[in-house]
Amino acid sequence: MAIQNVTMDAVDFRYLLLENYKRLRIQEKQVIALLMVDHLLRGGNPLITGDLLSLKMNYSVSECDSLLAGLVKDGFLSYDAGEGKMRTSLDPLKKRLYSLFQTDLAHAKASVSSASRSEALSRLYAYFEKRLNRTLSPLESDTIDSWLDDAYSEEQIEDALESALASGKKTIKSVDKELRTARKRSDIEKEGYSGISDDWDQDILKTIELAKAKWKEDEGK
């Protein structure tokens, strides 16, 4: 299933139950009971009792009553009064399963995003070092990392480097300026204005220069 936003109705309840019942500490006999309850509800039986469940399972009525009572106690099943009639509902279980599903989706998405970002950074580091013909300093690597945080694409970053090199500039500062200029131009074309300043933050510049000097000093030891 694609990693995207989905509704609870779009997820197969039975699949989620079989995938996650161990995580919810549901016993196997309870799983069978829940699947049977779901089957009977789908068959048009709004109220599931021990008597009805016993007709479909190899358990006595008292054993089925006990199973149903345990499922209610554990928060997997409910009996709700609506329109003067008592109805059995699996909504408590479905909501818990759906919550687990959403959590797993979020983790999967984060994992894919993290892996994709790591690959993008590796390509960018290699590209910069090849084009600059030198090893990047830790701070320069962090700056490239920050460009991805600012939602610049690999292509935009590489284009900015090429544009800076074409102007005879080989510093991270010049690449950053190219990126900011391009984004400002795009913002103005789309929105009529841009919140990006033309000025490079002097404090950041000083920090980069100090770090660069320290890096070269350490390298020479």
Side-chain angles (χ1 to χ4, degrees):
M1 183 177 294
I3 299 175
Q4 56 185 340
N5 291 326
V6 294
T7 62
M8 186 163 62
D9 292 337
V11 185
D12 190 326
F13 155 72
R14 290 158 295 185
Y15 169 80
L16 290 182
L17 175 59
L18 292 174
E19 282 289 310
N20 296 286
Y21 77 86
K22 184 177 180 179
R23 294 167 70 182
L24 292 176
R25 297 184 180 181
I26 301 175
Q27 300 299 313
E28 274 75 10
K29 64 180 180 180
Q30 290 179 308
V31 173
I32 297 300
L34 287 166
L35 290 173
M36 185 56 69
V37 168
D38 180 59
H39 173 70
L40 291 170
L41 289 173
R42 289 172 182 269
N45 301 281
L47 179 63
I48 311 301
T49 64
D51 300 71
L52 180 57
L53 203 58
S54 180
L55 293 175
K56 293 290 187 177
M57 301 182 68
N58 294 318
Y59 293 113
S60 66
V61 173
S62 62
E63 288 175 317
C64 288
D65 282 337
S66 179
L67 273 173
L68 292 173
L71 291 170
V72 171
K73 180 181 178 181
D74 292 338
F76 301 125
L77 193 69
S78 67
Y79 285 87
D80 309 313
E83 301 178 355
K85 296 181 180 179
M86 188 68 71
R87 295 177 178 274
T88 303
S89 174
L90 285 169
D91 284 350
L93 174 61
K94 289 182 178 181
K95 289 177 180 178
R96 291 174 71 173
L97 288 172
Y98 181 66
S99 178
L100 285 176
F101 176 71
Q102 288 289 73
T103 298
D104 289 344
L105 271 185
H107 288 164
K109 185 175 182 180
S111 178
V112 169
S113 177
S114 178
S116 177
R117 181 188 178 89
S118 179
E119 292 172 359
L121 282 173
S122 294
R123 289 191 295 268
L124 284 170
Y125 293 159
Y127 188 84
F128 268 67
E129 291 184 343
K130 179 180 179 180
R131 297 295 289 126
L132 296 176
N133 195 32
R134 63 176 175 79
T135 302
L136 294 171
S137 72
L139 188 58
E140 287 175 324
S141 297
D142 287 344
T143 301
I144 294 173
D145 193 0
S146 73
W147 290 335
L148 293 183
D149 289 335
D150 291 335
Y152 289 109
S153 68
E154 280 186 73
E155 183 179 5
Q156 289 173 319
I157 294 171
E158 291 175 358
D159 287 347
L161 173 60
E162 294 303 327
S163 181
L165 291 176
S167 300
K169 300 173 182 178
K170 298 183 178 182
T171 65
I172 291 295
K173 172 189 172 182
S174 61
V175 177
D176 185 83
K177 186 174 181 179
E178 290 288 343
L179 286 170
R180 290 158 64 89
T181 299
R183 175 160 290 181
K184 181 178 181 180
R185 183 168 57 248
S186 177
D187 288 346
I188 292 174
E189 290 176 354
K190 294 178 181 178
E191 307 294 338
Y193 69 94
S194 176
I196 296 178
S197 170
D198 288 324
D199 299 325
W200 174 266
D201 190 312
Q202 292 302 311
D203 290 335
I204 294 177
L205 177 57
K206 290 178 181 178
T207 300
I208 289 178
E209 293 303 325
L210 287 172
K212 187 187 298 183
K214 173 63 176 167
W215 174 66
K216 289 182 177 179
E217 179 183 322
D218 292 341
E219 188 181 49
K221 291 181 179 180

